Amino acid sequence: MKTYNSLSEIKSDLLANTISCVELVNQYLKRIDEKKKLNAFLEVFAASALEKAKQVDEKLKTNTAGKLAGMVIALKDNLCYKSHKVSASSKILEGFESLYSATVVERLLAEDAIIIGRCNCDEFAMGSSNETSFYGNVLNPLDPTRVPGGSSGGAAVAVAADLCLASLGTDTGGSIRQPASFCGVVGLKPTYGRVSRYGAIAYASSFDQIGPLTKSIEDAALIMEVMAGSDDYDSTVSSKPVPEYSKQLNNRPTKLRIAYIKDCLEANGLNPEIKTYIYSLIEKLKAAGHTVEPVDFPYLDYLVPTYYVLTTAEASSNLARYDGIGFGYRSPNATDLESTYKKSRTEGFGTEVKRRIMLGTFVLSAGYYDAYYSKGQRVRRLLQNKTNKILNNYDFVILPTTPGTAFKFGEHNADPIAMYLEDIFTVQANITGIPAISLPMGTHSNGLPFGIQVAGKHFSESELLSFSEYLMKLK
Ligand code: GLN
């Protein structure tokens, strides 16, 4: 199969009539089947994808096709698509079918994207390795003994292994950027409030954002301009106008001010090759005439604890709705109301989800609320203030996406804290709400890819994407 790296490549083949959308979808379906072992897809929507492809082919003939005609896209299994199953990779939602589509799904379809299936992920998006999925591990296509990252592991693998052109993931603490880094693709977490969360299964509502995983910056820009913008169904979305990101990729000031957080680059546990790579990138940027300076951020140790106190609190509340009554799994062993709740939740949720619900319930409990939840909120504000102060002075911050390259299955099984520390460089963007992107720029001597992360000011996606385009060429 001919592989494509961007929608513009597909479009030129469609225009030249060397392929049709139906043929394209069939090619991807074949490849998904050949790569079944990767376990990236929980379900392929062959019938609806082919139906949509047929419609788009018709529209192409009459020049009425939308902006995303030819884009074959996969959804993380926590995004609702009407009349299609969605499970958040949890047993508790086994067999559940979406009653409506997420706003992002509606908007992609309206521009003629073709949705090819739903991708495996960590259960309720909780994890950094895709190992918490009820439906088994997703394999890293570059080394099947290693994790793809998480929680949008299947979505990253689907793009990296050419099972579709792009995918949508969600990022609460790094779940788009970290798997993008481990699989060698682009992953963008938008500003909190840029993209509607309506129809995304909630994990931690003040952190969650939906974003694209792609091979090219151009595709990330296109998907963003289609998805972003105000939505009557989500009051946390900003009404700021959405720029045509894809048309602004070359708008760039010639001299940029870029910061790097010294504490991040000197952090214990950062792989030395990733550190060296970032320092050499800094030199290249300086040589190109940009100002690149170290800044202090003496709060690195507070990021992961703040993230896990606040997100588990929100998760314990969000996940209260899975009670065995309204929808989803109900235990066959229940005998009365209380045992329905208890048994359905005990049997329906996996270990990691239960750990977080308990932790979240604890930090919100009357006796500990002040010591943990309310303290966590205050630390969040401090981290936001400090981050905003840095971004008042600089256009971007450069940092690693992950401490290392993809790790082996089971490597962090004995120690959940070690797994949580994998998120050290990604959670800052979610705690503070700023946009951040992981770019597939590095290759380690072990042969595996690693990402470089760039973060920017709130609602600076346009600048962030054009700087990303520049960086990818600079590598
Ligand atoms: N790895 C982080 C966690 O386990 C991030 C998850 C996410 O962004 N959904 O919570």
Side-chain angles (χ1 to χ4, degrees):
M1 161 188 176
K2 174 173 175 188
T3 54
Y4 293 100
N5 292 320
S6 68
L7 182 60
S8 58
E9 289 178 15
I10 290 182
K11 279 203 163 148
S12 64
D13 279 4
L14 287 171
L15 273 177
N17 268 322
T18 53
I19 199 166
S20 68
C21 287
V22 169
E23 285 163 353
L24 184 67
V25 169
N26 275 323
Q27 282 190 16
Y28 279 125
L29 290 173
K30 188 160 164 255
R31 196 162 160 88
I32 293 172
D33 196 50
E34 285 163 8
K35 299 277 173 186
K36 243 191 183 140
K37 270 213 182 105
L38 296 173
N39 202 21
F41 279 85
L42 292 182
E43 188 183 355
V44 169
F45 302 145
S48 56
L50 284 167
E51 179 55 37
K52 178 80 185 176
K54 226 164 96 187
Q55 289 167 12
V56 182
D57 279 335
E58 287 307 313
K59 286 189 184 178
L60 283 167
K61 281 186 205 147
T62 53
N63 241 333
T64 52
K67 216 185 242 193
L68 299 183
M71 180 167 280
V72 178
I73 195 164
L75 303 176
K76 181 178 182 178
D77 185 38
N78 63 353
L79 298 169
C80 294
Y81 179 12
K82 193 175 175 180
S83 306
H84 293 75
K85 287 197 181 113
V86 65
S87 77
S89 289
S90 179
K91 179 179 174 184
I92 214 155
L93 278 174
E94 206 174 6
F96 178 77
E97 219 172 83
S98 297
L99 302 171
Y100 57 86
S101 290
T103 297
V104 293
V105 168
E106 295 273 4
R107 290 184 183 171
L108 291 180
L109 288 171
E111 286 296 342
D112 286 331
I114 299 165
I115 298 176
I116 194 156
R118 61 184 169 104
C119 288
N120 204 342
C121 58
D122 278 297
E123 186 179 1
F124 283 101
M126 297 174 184
S128 307
S129 63
N130 222 116
E131 289 167 290
T132 75
S133 167
F134 178 64
Y135 298 99
N137 291 341
V138 177
L139 310 186
N140 190 313
L142 302 153
D143 176 350
T145 67
R146 289 174 190 271
V147 305
S151 62
S152 315
V157 170
V159 176
D162 291 303
L163 311 182
C164 53
L165 180 67
S167 60
L168 292 190
T170 60
D171 190 312
T172 306
S175 278
I176 290 175
R177 292 161 286 153
Q178 189 251 20
S181 171
F182 282 5
C183 294
V185 300
V186 175
L188 169 68
K189 183 208 83 84
T191 308
Y192 185 82
R194 183 71 293 191
V195 175
S196 168
R197 290 176 292 110
Y198 180 71
I201 295 180
Y203 159 18
S205 308
S206 76
F207 293 74
D208 300 341
Q209 272 293 289
I210 300 168
L213 292 119
T214 57
K215 286 199 168 168
S216 68
I217 302 296
E218 194 189 320
D219 285 355
L222 268 170
I223 293 172
M224 278 302 294
E225 72 194 39
V226 169
M227 290 198 308
S230 65
D231 178 15
D232 289 346
Y233 293 121
D234 178 358
S235 60
T236 63
V237 187
S238 164
S239 56
K240 269 187 204 304
V242 179
E244 279 201 281
Y245 300 117
S246 65
K247 300 232 165 82
Q248 299 184 358
L249 291 178
N250 294 319
N251 292 358
R252 194 172 31 246
T254 41
K255 299 270 175 279
L256 291 164
R257 288 181 55 76
I258 301 153
Y260 64 93
I261 297 176
K262 217 164 172 185
D263 310 75
C264 284
L265 292 190
E266 298 304 325
N268 275 339
L270 175 63
N271 186 294
E273 279 189 39
I274 300 184
K275 172 173 161 175
T276 309
Y277 182 90
I278 298 187
Y279 275 120
S280 72
L281 183 65
I282 289 170
E283 289 314 313
K284 270 192 206 163
L285 285 165
K286 281 185 187 164
H290 305 292
T291 304
V292 193
E293 292 171 347
V295 290
D296 287 333
F297 188 79
Y299 304 117
L300 210 59
D301 290 345
Y302 296 93
L303 290 169
V304 170
T306 306
Y307 170 80
Y308 278 95
V309 166
L310 297 178
T311 55
T312 54
E314 293 187 23
S316 70
S317 163
N318 273 326
L319 272 60
R321 70 190 64 163
Y322 307 103
D323 56 6
I325 306 282
F327 47 81
Y329 176 78
R330 179 181 298 173
S331 170
N333 309 315
T335 48
D336 57 9
L337 183 64
E338 197 173 319
S339 71
T340 303
Y341 292 154
K342 263 195 194 158
K343 293 200 156 114
S344 303
R345 288 169 67 82
T346 304
E347 294 160 22
F349 287 134
T351 314
E352 183 59 29
V353 173
K354 281 189 246 187
R355 179 184 293 130
R356 294 193 191 199
I357 293 173
M358 287 191 278
L359 192 58
T361 307
F362 174 75
V363 304
L364 287 174
S365 63
Y368 293 95
Y369 186 94
D370 284 343
Y372 292 104
Y373 183 71
S374 139
K375 171 82 73 60
Q377 292 284 40
R378 290 201 297 274
V379 179
R380 185 178 197 181
R381 170 64 64 199
L382 190 91
L383 297 169
Q384 282 169 341
N385 289 347
K386 180 70 188 170
T387 305
N388 289 340
K389 216 164 149 188
I390 295 174
L391 286 164
N392 282 340
N393 251 319
Y394 295 91
D395 299 299
F396 304 106
V397 177
I398 290 195
L399 65 170
T401 307
T402 50
T405 53
F407 49 90
K408 296 246 182 202
F409 287 103
E411 207 169 306
H412 294 323
N413 276 5
D415 182 4
I417 307 279
M419 185 72 93
Y420 295 171
L421 285 171
E422 285 291 328
D423 306 331
I424 180 126
F425 302 125
T426 47
V427 294
Q428 186 179 3
N430 307 77
I431 290 172
T432 60
I434 58 175
I437 192 165
S438 179
L439 305 170
M441 293 182 58
T443 306
H444 196 271
S445 58
N446 66 10
L448 294 168
F450 61 86
I452 296 301
Q453 192 180 189
V454 188
K457 300 179 192 5
H458 289 93
F459 298 98
S460 69
E461 277 81 358
S462 185
E463 292 82 355
L464 188 59
L465 287 162
S466 70
F467 182 52
S468 299
E469 180 80 0
Y470 169 76
L471 276 180
M472 295 276 283
K473 285 180 184 143
L474 198 73
K475 78 173 178 180

